[in-house]
């Protein structure tokens, strides 16, 4: 075991800061700290930074959401009061200005979601890495963090090289959760922190698909088919949007929006039974009136297609719901009830490795108001490794940026630096 030389961590006598994790939370904290004069080194076990950001942005990088904060903050559920100060200090408007300052203007889509005008993540990341390089931030890829030695130094195992210890004046952990482990978030930090006496809530899938017991025929015909302009209801909550049928069940925005209560219901009772509205734009009485009209020799599929503009996949779902009593679909009242409130018996949630994000992690009781670990002074945490979750729609990235900035500010207070984190742009 070798120790990093002091001069490597302290050029010019600046405070030496280690950031472990090169995702959005870690890189943004690194930018803030380097801008305040710290000597920042970012370690990551992957060969290149922000891999999950790049993959998430392939179909369009959803940075944040344009809705007012009073509607935005409740998206974080039980954690909204914990995250509120950090998000108000660096809100969606500030994140958009930061992007524009990097030469990446943004636009608001029809759903209220905010994207870079370039749409993809790669141009934004390239501009960001250039800024970090100009600020003197050093990136050390292929370095796995394994904990601390008896002197409190950080321990690293670089790929293809000898393990070493690194002394930092302050450290930020921004190692992500447990979703998409092939991109870097493998949750290897969980046993390290537990061994240090830090309470960790179990990591669970969030924004994931759910499993249903499809008939073989429906699975064969419908897997991959989209469900558009639908609504999902569960325990007094409603989500509108889209979903897609998979061979295992269903996934998509309406399920992500309700993933927390659905997941918890399955864990408690072994199943969750939300209701799917296939025509949320039509009142129930209007649906019944249309379905009460004579069929005039039309098949059920043609009748539903012409009367309610239902696509084949939606008609297939109606048949799935009536598998035990297919003749009941000839009754207008029964059929209308299924169109407006089709029960879905969800029996499980897809594995965390297939989830967009994860719930669980370091709880608020383990951190002080500055995002520092109470049992490890000088060690801070931010991003998805904290115990919060949110639906897709820009809320995930926003909280990563906001907590990264809040932790950077906490680190400066800890270091008693004369300057503060650079102001919100």
């Amino acid at each position: 075991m070798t120790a990093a030389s002091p001069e490597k961590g302290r050029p010019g006598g600046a405070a030496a800061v280690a950031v472990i994790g090169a995702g959005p939370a870690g890189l943004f904290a690194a930018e803030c700290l380097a801008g305040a004069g710290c000597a920042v080194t970012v370690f990551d076990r992957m060969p290149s930074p922000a891999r999950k950001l790049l993959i998430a942005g392939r179909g369009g990088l959803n940075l944040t959401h344009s809705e007012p904060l009073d509607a935005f903050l409740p998206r974080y559920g039980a954690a909204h009061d914990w995250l509120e100060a950090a998000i108000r200090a660096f809100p969606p408007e500030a994140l958009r200005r930061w992007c524009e300052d990097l030469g990446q203007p943004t636009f608001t889509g029809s759903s209220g979601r905010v994207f870079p005008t370039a749409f993809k993540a790669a141009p934004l990341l390239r501009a960001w890495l250039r800024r970090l390089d100009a600020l003197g931030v050093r990136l050390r890829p292929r370095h796995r963090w394994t904990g601390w030695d008896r002197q409190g130094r950080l321990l690293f195992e670089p790929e293809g090289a000898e393990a070493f210890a690194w002394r930092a004046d302050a450290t930020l952990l921004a190692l992500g959760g447990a979703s998409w482990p092939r991109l870097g978030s493998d949750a290897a930090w969980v046993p390290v922190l537990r061994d240090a006496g830090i309470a960790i809530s179990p990591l669970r899938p969030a924004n994931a698909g759910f499993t249903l017991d499809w008939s073989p025929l429906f699975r064969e015909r419908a897997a991959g088919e989209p469900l558009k302009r639908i609504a999902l209801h569960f325990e007094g909550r409603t989500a509108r949007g889209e979903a897609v049928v998979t061979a295992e069940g269903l996934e998509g925005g309406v399920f992500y929006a309700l993933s927390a209560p659905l997941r918890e219901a399955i864990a408690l009772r072994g199943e969750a039974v939300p209701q799917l509205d296939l025509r949320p734009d039509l009142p129930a009485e209007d649906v019944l009136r249309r379905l009460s009209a004579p069929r005039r020799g039309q098949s059920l599929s043609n009748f539903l297609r012409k009367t309610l503009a239902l696509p084949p996949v939606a008609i297939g779902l109606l048949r799935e719901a009536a598998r035990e009593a297919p003749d009941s679909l000839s009754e207008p009242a029964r059929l209308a009830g299924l169109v407006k409130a089709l029960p879905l018996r969800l029996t499980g949630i897809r594995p965390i490795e297939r989830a967009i994000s994860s719930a669980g992690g370091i709880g608020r009781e383990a951190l002080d108001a500055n995002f520092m670990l109470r049992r490890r002074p000088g060690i801070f945490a931010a991003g998805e490794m904290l115990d919060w979750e949110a639906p897709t729609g820009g809320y995930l990235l926003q909280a990563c940026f906001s907590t990264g900035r809040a932790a950077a500010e906490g680190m400066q207070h800890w270091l008693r630096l004369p300057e503060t984190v650079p102001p919100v742009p």
Side-chain angles (χ1 to χ4, degrees):
M1 176 74 68
T2 61
S5 60
E7 63 271 20
K8 277 190 176 181
R10 300 169 177 269
V17 171
V19 174
I20 306 176
L27 292 180
F28 195 52
E31 178 183 337
C32 294
L33 290 161
C38 296
V40 183
T41 303
V42 179
F43 298 89
D44 195 272
R45 77 175 184 91
M46 301 302 289
S48 57
R51 289 201 160 192
K52 188 174 178 182
L53 181 76
L54 285 173
I55 294 295
R58 277 186 177 177
L61 183 63
N62 185 191
L63 284 165
T64 187
H65 202 284
S66 62
E67 66 188 352
L69 279 183
D70 287 345
F72 189 101
L73 289 167
R75 305 293 186 182
Y76 297 95
H80 86 273
D81 59 331
W82 180 30
L83 301 179
E84 181 173 358
I87 292 173
R88 287 192 181 278
F90 190 77
E93 296 83 1
L95 180 53
R96 298 184 72 168
R97 290 195 296 271
W98 172 81
C99 289
E100 290 164 5
D101 193 47
L102 280 173
Q104 300 295 315
T106 61
F107 72 95
T108 302
S110 58
S111 64
R113 300 183 179 201
V114 175
F115 301 87
T117 300
F119 206 55
K120 308 291 186 180
L124 174 65
L125 181 59
R126 286 195 296 267
W128 194 5
L129 292 176
R130 286 195 296 269
R131 173 181 286 180
L132 291 172
D133 183 63
L135 287 170
V137 174
R138 287 168 295 170
L139 297 176
R140 301 196 66 171
R142 304 180 190 272
H143 280 65
R144 179 183 286 276
W145 174 66
T146 60
W148 296 274
D149 66 9
R150 292 182 179 178
Q151 288 76 47
R153 297 176 300 181
L154 300 164
L155 298 176
F156 292 98
E157 292 180 353
E159 188 177 310
E162 185 181 358
F164 66 91
W166 180 280
R167 186 175 299 283
D169 296 314
T171 299
L172 174 67
L173 303 178
L175 290 149
S179 63
W180 296 7
R182 65 186 179 86
L183 300 178
S185 300
D186 62 357
W189 53 268
V190 172
V192 175
L193 294 190
R194 280 189 175 146
D195 289 347
I198 296 161
I200 308 291
S201 298
L203 295 173
R204 308 177 302 283
N207 294 302
F210 291 87
T211 55
L212 289 93
D213 183 22
W214 297 136
S215 67
L217 181 61
F218 181 78
R219 180 183 297 111
E220 179 184 349
R221 290 182 174 179
E225 291 294 322
L227 287 162
K228 298 185 177 182
R229 296 182 295 278
I230 56 174
L232 191 68
H233 307 282
F234 185 66
E235 295 183 345
R237 307 182 195 189
T238 297
R240 294 180 67 126
E242 300 183 355
V244 64
V245 177
T246 68
E248 297 82 15
L250 285 160
E251 64 178 60
V254 294
F255 289 91
Y256 302 157
L258 300 180
S259 64
L262 290 171
R263 182 190 64 231
E264 299 310 312
I266 292 170
L268 182 65
R269 301 189 291 270
E271 66 177 23
V273 188
Q275 294 180 324
L276 183 64
D277 187 344
L278 295 169
R279 285 302 306 268
D281 53 319
L282 285 178
E285 57 271 20
D286 195 7
V287 172
L288 177 58
R289 178 183 58 78
R290 295 187 185 196
L291 293 179
S292 298
R295 288 196 192 177
R296 304 186 189 283
Q298 298 179 87
S299 68
L300 177 62
S301 294
N302 281 337
F303 180 65
L304 289 171
R305 178 175 57 83
K306 293 179 180 180
T307 304
L308 294 176
L310 291 181
V313 64
I315 297 169
L317 282 172
L318 292 170
R319 295 187 188 279
E320 283 290 290
R323 263 192 286 176
E324 302 300 322
D327 291 342
S328 66
L329 294 181
S330 62
E331 303 169 11
R334 163 73 168 158
L335 185 55
L338 287 176
V339 169
K340 293 299 292 180
L342 190 148
L344 298 168
R345 195 168 300 279
L346 310 181
T347 57
I349 187 167
R350 298 290 291 150
I352 197 167
E353 296 83 4
R354 301 291 300 275
I356 291 176
S357 60
S358 57
I362 303 172
R364 68 178 76 188
E365 70 281 356
L367 299 164
D368 68 12
N370 291 319
F371 291 89
M372 184 173 73
L373 295 175
R374 296 182 189 277
R375 298 180 69 93
R376 279 276 177 175
I379 309 296
F380 296 74
E384 199 180 334
M385 68 187 299
L386 305 183
D387 186 12
W388 59 271
E389 62 180 304
T392 57
Y395 311 102
L396 297 168
L397 274 178
Q398 179 66 55
C400 288
F401 276 93
S402 295
T403 57
R405 184 181 187 278
E409 189 168 38
M411 294 169 80
Q412 288 194 264
H413 289 312
W414 166 257
L415 293 167
R416 295 193 176 100
L417 298 180
E419 300 178 18
T420 60
V421 166
V424 173

